[in-house]
Amino acid sequence: MLYSPRMLAGLWAGKTAIWLNRRIGHGGTSFPGGLGRRIAPGLLSALAAQLKQGAMVITGTNGKTTTSKMLAEMIAASKLTLTHNRAGANLVGGITAAFIESASIGGSIGSDLGVIEVDEATIPQLVREVRPRGVVVTNFFRDQLDRFGELDKTVTLVEEALALLPPQSVAILNADDPLVASIGRRYRGRVLYFGIDDRSYGSREMTQSAETRFCRLCGHPLAYDWFFFGQLGHYRCVHCGFERPQPKIRVSAIELKGEEGSAFTVNAPQGNWRVELSTPGFYNIYNALAATAAALRLDLPEPSIRAGLQGYRTNFGRMERLELDDGRRAFLALIKNPTGCDEVLRTLTQNRGPKRLLVIINDNAADGRDISWLWDADFEALAPVLPELRSISTSGLRGEDMALRLHYAGVPADAISYEPDISHAIAAALEMTSPEETLYILPTYTALLESKTALANLGHSPRYWEE
């Protein structure tokens, strides 16, 4: 409950803004929170302090949204209530808006737990305001260079945020990413590592671009016994002795099932259990593992963790499966940096059969103004499936740049079509897709929001703020 007139004014202004945005059919996930904070700067702290069992924060370059939603499913399976920025608005305005929406008109937060996905540059401020029980760090890759700068700056920001955690909090870190694990070597609080032991996927040689080949602690080259993707793998530094920490939460016996998802065994101090995950993509096993580690830290029971993962259905553009009419299939997969895009392309090429491809590139502020990452992403990986691609099209503010990139990746120019209007491009791609084909729609972040709106207008998806 809020007793300060100023806090209540901020809360009511935010609630009014949310209501108005929904009335005009706009998600508006950040503006209401920004408005509330302008009136009452301490609003988020006042609301978050009411969570009965505290909050878990998820950050990192890729996998934040999926990991937080998997964790939310596990909490729901435990019959606990939660406050969660589900729409993926992960700056402080969007997070505040989620708490405003969750609060009663009197400013009471009745939730047991908070699950907060947060942008890497925002996490120091969030930790100061929310003081979470734990922080999950998924991975670090180049992303929005015009906003974050070099990757080391991003790693340093997260490292500084962890130093602000209360003594009882825990850092939950990806042992397979040397950039993430290096934070654990310096962090003075409690650390819980997660990682993949199974080497049935990946290779002994680096086949993708990696963000680092050097030890962040001493600057000497890292030696790898195994690569999964990017710089994630089993590594060690022969100079200073830094090596992949032995994770307590592990995955083994991985079985990839194409578009149908995957199966794997979770190994934890609490026991071992088999999981069937319907979300395609090897990288989503990492997300499931991160969510499992966070859930165990929150003392959720194993049946709820397993039920949450197996009941999880991908949504909001993270390899989201769209069930169309006449048995047609479509996947909506966000791309926003080279490594994330490479993993989406890898999943696409592993799923054989006739398919269509629509890539939508925007360069709005939330996407990052710099789209040079398109030239670092491995679109050449499409070569083996070019005979299966019945159509290739691009759209968005930088759709013409994307068409040029595809041409340099080996796609004939006359095989690429360009439609600047996103809703028209999606409608045309859906119209062309026949029952035996799969349509893959690959948008950047703001293009994803426009795509979701277009798909909702066509009756193929709920509006993104309703998921």
Side-chain angles (χ1 to χ4, degrees):
M1 186 71 76
L2 298 176
Y3 298 101
S4 161
R6 187 171 184 176
M7 292 287 184
L8 286 171
L11 175 75
W12 295 338
K15 281 188 171 292
T16 302
I18 292 171
W19 180 81
L20 285 173
N21 274 331
R22 303 286 162 77
R23 290 282 294 177
I24 62 176
H26 187 272
T29 48
S30 295
F31 171 73
L35 178 62
R37 293 176 64 85
R38 180 169 295 184
I39 298 169
L43 184 58
L44 176 59
S45 295
L47 294 174
Q50 299 179 47
L51 293 167
K52 297 171 186 172
Q53 299 182 34
M56 184 64 69
V57 168
I58 296 94
T59 193
T61 306
N62 292 336
K64 294 185 290 291
T65 299
T66 300
T67 299
S68 62
K69 289 190 174 182
M70 287 177 171
L71 179 58
E73 292 288 339
M74 298 171 186
I75 292 171
S78 300
K79 308 300 182 187
L80 297 171
T81 56
L82 79 158
T83 296
H84 177 203
N85 54 330
R86 296 185 62 84
N90 57 26
L91 302 181
V92 70
I95 295 165
T96 305
F99 276 82
I100 288 173
E101 186 167 18
S102 180
S104 70
I105 197 68
S108 176
I109 292 281
S111 303
D112 297 303
L113 284 161
V115 174
I116 305 172
E117 169 195 342
V118 63
D119 174 88
E120 301 92 286
T122 304
I123 188 171
Q125 180 182 3
L126 186 82
V127 168
R128 288 190 192 93
E129 296 192 20
V130 173
R131 301 184 64 75
R133 285 178 63 180
V135 173
V136 179
V137 185
T138 56
N139 48 58
F140 289 118
F141 299 110
R142 277 174 294 159
D143 191 23
Q144 300 186 47
L145 293 179
D146 57 316
R147 180 163 162 260
F148 289 123
E150 289 300 322
L151 185 58
D152 189 61
K153 179 183 177 183
T154 305
V155 179
T156 300
L157 278 171
V158 175
E159 190 168 29
E160 291 173 352
L162 294 186
L164 300 172
L165 283 172
Q168 67 274 20
S169 299
V170 62
I172 302 171
L173 306 179
N174 186 343
D176 295 346
D177 186 341
L179 293 173
V180 175
S182 70
I183 293 177
R185 282 288 292 264
R186 295 172 172 170
Y187 180 57
R188 294 180 178 277
R190 289 186 292 171
V191 179
L192 176 63
Y193 288 104
F194 62 91
I196 293 178
D197 284 351
D198 187 341
R199 295 186 177 182
S200 60
Y201 181 90
S203 67
R204 293 190 181 279
E205 304 295 329
M206 181 180 288
T207 58
Q208 296 178 318
S209 61
E211 303 301 349
T212 184
R213 299 183 182 192
F214 299 96
C215 174
R216 187 167 177 264
L217 302 181
C218 72
H220 285 76
L222 291 170
Y224 271 82
D225 299 317
W226 198 258
F227 289 96
F228 290 118
F229 62 86
Q231 75 274 10
L232 273 62
H234 297 168
Y235 55 85
R236 53 197 157 80
C237 175
V238 297
H239 183 262
C240 72
F242 171 59
E243 62 182 354
R244 173 186 183 252
Q246 185 58 44
K248 282 192 174 179
I249 314 301
R250 300 173 292 114
V251 155
S252 60
I254 293 173
E255 181 184 0
L256 296 179
K257 299 181 177 180
E259 292 181 356
E260 302 305 314
S262 62
F264 51 87
T265 299
V266 173
N267 308 111
Q270 292 84 349
N272 306 323
W273 57 88
R274 192 74 179 161
V275 172
E276 297 279 344
L277 189 67
S278 65
T279 307
F282 177 80
Y283 56 95
N284 278 314
I285 297 176
Y286 269 110
N287 296 330
L289 190 55
T292 298
L296 291 171
R297 167 58 186 157
L298 294 172
D299 297 322
L300 301 186
E302 176 265 321
S304 296
I305 295 172
R306 188 163 54 181
L309 286 178
Q310 297 190 163
Y312 175 77
R313 296 292 179 267
T314 308
N315 56 15
F316 204 66
R318 274 68 177 184
M319 201 51 81
E320 176 181 358
R321 183 172 182 145
L322 304 168
E323 298 297 340
L324 311 175
D325 51 8
D326 301 329
R328 296 177 299 160
R329 293 168 298 181
F331 285 90
L332 187 61
L334 172 72
I335 57 172
K336 63 190 185 83
N337 53 51
T339 302
C341 183
D342 286 354
E343 284 303 295
V344 168
L345 292 173
R346 187 197 296 249
T347 302
L348 182 156
T349 55
Q350 288 173 341
N351 298 332
R352 307 315 297 258
K355 51 180 72 73
R356 296 180 184 271
L357 175 64
L358 169 60
V359 189
I360 310 174
I361 304 297
N362 278 352
D363 64 349
N364 292 312
D367 303 294
R369 300 291 189 188
D370 180 1
I371 62 164
S372 63
W373 65 268
L374 293 177
W375 296 90
D376 293 329
D378 187 18
F379 286 98
E380 285 76 6
L382 290 171
V385 298
L386 283 180
E388 300 172 3
L389 285 168
R390 302 284 175 82
S391 67
I392 302 174
S393 52
T394 68
S395 183
L397 298 173
R398 303 302 290 268
E400 289 170 305
D401 297 80
M402 187 64 240
L404 180 66
R405 176 68 186 92
L406 288 170
H407 177 54
Y408 273 86
V411 181
D414 57 5
I416 306 169
S417 62
Y418 166 63
E419 165 54 58
D421 185 277
I422 292 175
S423 59
H424 290 170
I426 287 177
L430 288 170
E431 180 68 24
M432 287 188 293
T433 303
S434 61
E436 75 275 10
E437 297 172 346
T438 301
L439 169 64
Y440 290 89
I441 305 172
L442 278 51
T444 55
Y445 182 69
T446 64
L448 169 63
L449 301 183
E450 292 184 58
S451 300
K452 290 288 288 184
T453 300
L455 289 163
N457 290 338
L458 293 169
H460 297 306
S461 170
R463 298 192 183 279
Y464 60 85
W465 60 86
E466 296 174 344
E467 294 187 7

